Amino acid sequence: MAESDARGLRRPRETRRQLALLAELEELFLAEGFAGFTLDDLAARLRCSKSTLYALAPSKEQLAVKVVGRYFKGAAELLDERIEGIDDARKIIGEYLAGISEYLDRASAAFMTDIAEFGPARDTYQLNSRVAAGRIRSFIAKGVADGVFRDVHARLIAEMAGLIIEGIQTGVIGHRTRVSDAEAFTALSELLLGGLASRP
């Protein structure tokens, strides 16, 4: 079996061994970051050959991008599973943002710093942040339509949530407040659910 890459070219699917290596790399990068490693270091840590790593990606930089992409793809899939079957917009937003917070809490400060300082990895984070912001806008719209959120300034609040997510992703909020991205998403959940709640 083969699948298409971003350019529409067909490439073979990873083998079971390659998927296991990618999982190991993800855990290693989450714990220690990726910028400081060479391919020789990675081959030694994973007890495999450099040619095995080259079969995953042609350079350490592209390998890092692949692993970062895998991490955020896993987050998206987990979040979808977490909110599946929930109909109450308040619970959806609470579960969705709690899920983001818990998932990001797996990542060390070194990993998040390396993402912020490496353009292609940062682009992957930005894309996922934009998707998350879009999902939250749709959840707010659902809450307003269902009558569980006030419709006063709901669109404005949704846009503000998007800007906050962008601030979390770019590191501005973390730098200014000295909190982790995970903690920032927890605070955003509390802010949204408190601010949007229908008044009795």
Side-chain angles (χ1 to χ4, degrees):
M1 290 290 290
E3 57 187 19
S4 298
D5 65 13
R7 297 166 296 173
L9 300 176
R10 303 292 282 174
R11 59 181 173 81
R13 288 183 185 270
E14 286 89 3
T15 65
R16 188 173 299 175
R17 169 62 174 149
Q18 288 174 322
L19 290 172
L21 283 172
L22 286 169
E24 288 183 57
L25 280 168
E26 183 177 326
E27 291 305 314
L28 178 60
F29 289 177
L30 283 170
E32 301 180 32
F34 52 82
F37 286 111
T38 65
L39 279 176
D40 285 320
D41 296 332
L42 294 174
R45 291 289 290 271
L46 272 62
R47 295 182 296 280
C48 67
S49 66
K50 283 174 66 175
S51 62
T52 300
L53 295 177
Y54 279 125
L56 291 172
S59 69
K60 190 206 84 170
E61 290 73 21
Q62 289 174 322
L63 186 60
V65 171
K66 188 181 189 96
V67 173
V68 169
R70 183 182 190 278
Y71 170 71
F72 285 113
K73 181 181 179 186
E77 291 171 352
L78 261 168
L79 290 171
D80 284 343
E81 290 174 10
R82 187 167 180 142
I83 63 173
E84 186 177 0
I86 301 176
D87 190 56
D88 187 316
R90 293 165 298 192
K91 292 181 180 177
I92 293 173
I93 289 177
E95 283 295 316
Y96 191 80
L97 289 173
I100 292 176
S101 177
E102 289 172 17
Y103 205 80
L104 287 175
D105 205 37
R106 296 174 53 211
S108 65
F111 180 70
M112 298 308 294
T113 296
D114 287 350
I115 288 177
E117 294 179 352
F118 181 45
R122 186 172 63 246
D123 290 345
T124 300
Y125 190 10
Q126 287 175 340
L127 174 62
N128 281 270
S129 295
R130 286 194 294 272
V131 170
R135 297 294 301 279
I136 291 167
R137 289 187 191 99
S138 72
F139 301 152
I140 291 173
K142 173 180 168 49
V144 171
D146 292 349
V148 297
F149 291 153
R150 295 179 298 144
D151 62 0
V152 179
H153 301 309
R155 287 185 62 190
L156 174 61
I157 291 171
E159 290 304 314
M160 290 169 67
L163 291 172
I164 291 171
I165 289 172
E166 182 180 333
I168 295 170
Q169 185 277 317
T170 58
V172 171
I173 288 178
H175 177 73
R176 291 180 180 175
T177 63
R178 303 297 183 204
V179 300
S180 69
D181 287 9
E183 291 169 319
F185 274 106
T186 297
L188 174 59
S189 177
E190 295 167 354
L191 181 67
L192 284 177
L193 294 176
L196 287 165
S198 292
R199 301 301 183 213

